[in-house]
Amino acid sequence: MNRRGFLAKGVAGASVLGLSGCKVLDGLADQEGALHRAVASANGLSYRAQRLIGGGHTLAPEYAEADIRQGQRPNGSTNPDGAEYLALEAGGWAGYRLAVKGLVERPQSLSLADLRAMPSRTQITRHDCVEGWSCIAKWTGVPLALVLDRAGPQAAARFAVFRCYDVIEQSLAGGILYYESIDMIDARHPQTILAYGMNGADLPVANGAPLRLRVERQLGYKMAKYVHTIELAADLKGYGEGHGSYWADRGYDWYAGI
Amino acid sequence: MAGSLVYRQTVWMRAAHWLWAVCLFFLLLSGLGIFNAHPVLYLGKESGFAYDNALLEIGARDGAEGPRGFVRILGHEADTTGWLGVSGEDVQAFPPAVTIPSYYSLATSRIVHFFFAWVLVGTLLVWLAAGLRSGHLRRDLWVTGADLRALPSDIANHARLRFRHGRRYNVLQKLAYAGVMFLALPLMIATGLTMSPGADAFAPWLLALFHGRQTARTIHFLVMLALVVFFLVHMLMILAAGPLNELRSILTGWYRVDADAEGEAE
Ligand code: HEM
């Protein structure tokens, strides 16, 4: 084979490999497939590495007032339309109650006024969406650790699960409600707050009113909006499709610190 | 004139080389898939929605005869229908032929990207350790004063596609390889980590170093382009310098040197 022949064959071979390579790899998207599971296991490595290096307690960077140059871009659900939610909104959230239950000693039912009466934390942080964009805003709320202390987590509790009012997807079986979960290290992290205020005003509906989660060392989809219930649990199998969050059920990483 | 075979690549170097080839292939194609989720690059800490800090955008908008693709760089726009933004039936920034998976799935692109990011970093560490021990880094990649003095003649040789096959790399080769190993890949890893909110919490200096998360994302993209250029030139040089000899070297370690290079000192 002369050099030109070699070149032509090489280029042809490489391009066929390249193109079909992609299609062959489409099987990766099957979340229960062995290939997907093997590749996704790298995320467990990222989770452990970040917990090891950060010790779980490092703080996300906080920004200055001058860094707030725009409103917080809303994403995902922006306007829940369930009857219960609409009624609460119409009543100015007076009837809203946050339930804290599951593996706790003292289940709680807290009004917005109860939450506002607790010590608050205000932080200017960067919100990183899994899509790739970032947006800086100021968040005010009650540290989740204080709410959990009121309820008294049991020793068996390993995760905090957040249940939300918003229907994120219509399926044949009906509306799928958004839910998320974090481990107890993030649940007790000082910057993890249940926010009721944003950029100096009440939290708008588009951004999760009346109450949303902020988990500043993870991506945006972890920060559930429209939260009505927090459940402490020993494992995540009993929720949704068992991966611990609406997006994790759809192939996204449960740990979103990367 | 052809001389004898010399053993030029240890088994560690060859294994590392092929692992990188695999990693870079997957990182590039899954990265382009990730990019498609939000095909805009910005300069700064955040993405400007109420103001403009975009450097590059690949997008699509409706035209008289269906959607038209465009690339906008610092306000200057070009129609790229058929290539970027819109290709055939597909309305996405990078066409399916160059993304993993071949349809849009951000979740899948991300798990592939982060899996191979770990493999890349692991291989790099093994390569560094093996290369330091064997002297490969110092002997073959370290650019010396003598190398730099030889630069003009080496450029002239390359321009005339005249290659001398020695045991050692020539200067341009050294510069290219060292640039990839000690500049481009570390930059990819560092900017990749800067995009991770978890890493920013334990290494906030990364944000200072790259002037914000969105600038880091932009640098990640630009270095990706540089790596693609390196790859293309790498392939061209291999074809020009004798693909069979080069392939044997990187597969078996044995390389045929020019007759006048046989006596070259170790
Ligand atoms: C060296 C080969 C690599 C190539 C060619 C590559 C390419 C890409 C491309 C094209 C993107 C799309 C968006 C952008 O450009 O920012 C991307 C995203 C990303 N890459 Fe890489 N990458 C490489 C290595 C890495 C490594 C080693 C890491 C981890 C340390 C990493 C982490 C990331 C992250 C976190 C994103 C997501 C950014 C976002 O949210 O948009 N990459 N990569």
Side-chain angles (χ1 to χ4, degrees), chain A residues 13-241:
Chain A
S15 51
V16 167
L17 241 174
L19 290 180
S20 60
C22 306
K23 285 255 196 285
V24 166
L25 293 162
D26 287 353
L28 266 170
D30 171 15
Q31 213 187 339
E32 309 309 328
L35 192 57
H36 180 104
R37 285 229 281 267
V39 172
S41 67
N43 191 249
L45 203 56
S46 306
Y47 179 41
R48 281 193 293 277
Q50 291 200 1
R51 284 286 181 259
L52 195 70
I53 300 171
H57 304 294
T58 52
L59 293 182
E62 294 192 17
Y63 293 83
E65 291 278 349
D67 291 320
I68 307 174
R69 300 179 59 190
Q70 55 189 354
Q72 171 68 22
R73 177 183 166 101
N75 203 21
S77 313
T78 51
N79 210 359
D81 57 3
E84 188 185 349
Y85 182 84
L86 291 178
L88 289 172
E89 185 191 358
W93 310 117
Y96 170 84
R97 294 291 179 276
L98 171 72
V100 187
K101 56 187 203 182
L103 298 176
V104 294
E105 302 297 345
R106 301 172 294 276
Q108 302 282 313
S109 172
L110 303 165
S111 70
L112 214 48
D114 295 334
L115 294 166
R116 285 179 185 272
M118 294 174 73
S120 75
R121 190 178 202 284
T122 294
Q123 57 204 26
I124 301 175
T125 50
R126 196 190 66 227
H127 182 98
D128 297 328
C129 178
V130 67
E131 293 166 1
W133 52 266
S134 312
C135 198
I136 293 173
K138 179 159 75 176
W139 304 94
T140 302
V142 50
L144 177 58
L146 298 182
V147 174
L148 294 183
D149 284 344
R150 276 207 181 184
Q154 295 174 7
R158 290 182 55 218
F159 303 100
V161 183
F162 302 83
R163 293 180 172 278
C164 310
Y165 280 117
D166 56 316
V167 169
I168 181 80
E169 182 189 327
Q170 287 295 345
S171 76
L172 290 178
I176 299 177
L177 291 160
Y178 201 83
Y179 78 103
E180 256 302 342
S181 61
I182 56 179
D183 66 10
M184 293 308 280
I185 291 178
D186 267 330
R188 294 201 155 280
H189 187 266
Q191 287 171 320
T192 299
I193 62 175
L194 295 166
Y196 43 71
M198 189 191 91
N199 287 342
D202 285 349
L203 187 64
V205 166
N207 299 100
L211 198 67
R212 77 169 298 169
L213 180 66
R214 297 293 311 168
V215 192
E216 303 295 356
R217 299 182 302 174
Q218 297 203 44
L219 297 175
Y221 64 85
K222 298 302 286 185
M223 310 203 214
K225 308 199 279 189
Y226 318 108
V227 174
H228 60 70
T229 301
I230 302 174
E231 259 176 67
L232 295 195
D235 77 70
L236 299 169
K237 295 232 163 45
Y239 302 89
E241 290 171 29

Side-chain angles (χ1 to χ4, degrees), chain B residues 196-243:
Chain B
S196 146
D200 287 345
F202 61 73
W205 51 269
L206 283 169
L207 290 166
L209 183 63
F210 294 115
H211 292 271
R213 179 179 193 256
Q214 289 300 320
T215 313
R217 184 169 180 253
T218 299
I219 297 172
H220 199 73
F221 191 89
L222 295 178
V223 179
M224 174 276 288
L225 291 182
L227 282 170
V228 170
V229 170
F230 163 80
F231 171 76
L232 294 176
V233 174
H234 190 52
M235 292 301 108
L236 280 177
M237 289 298 133
I238 284 167
L239 289 175

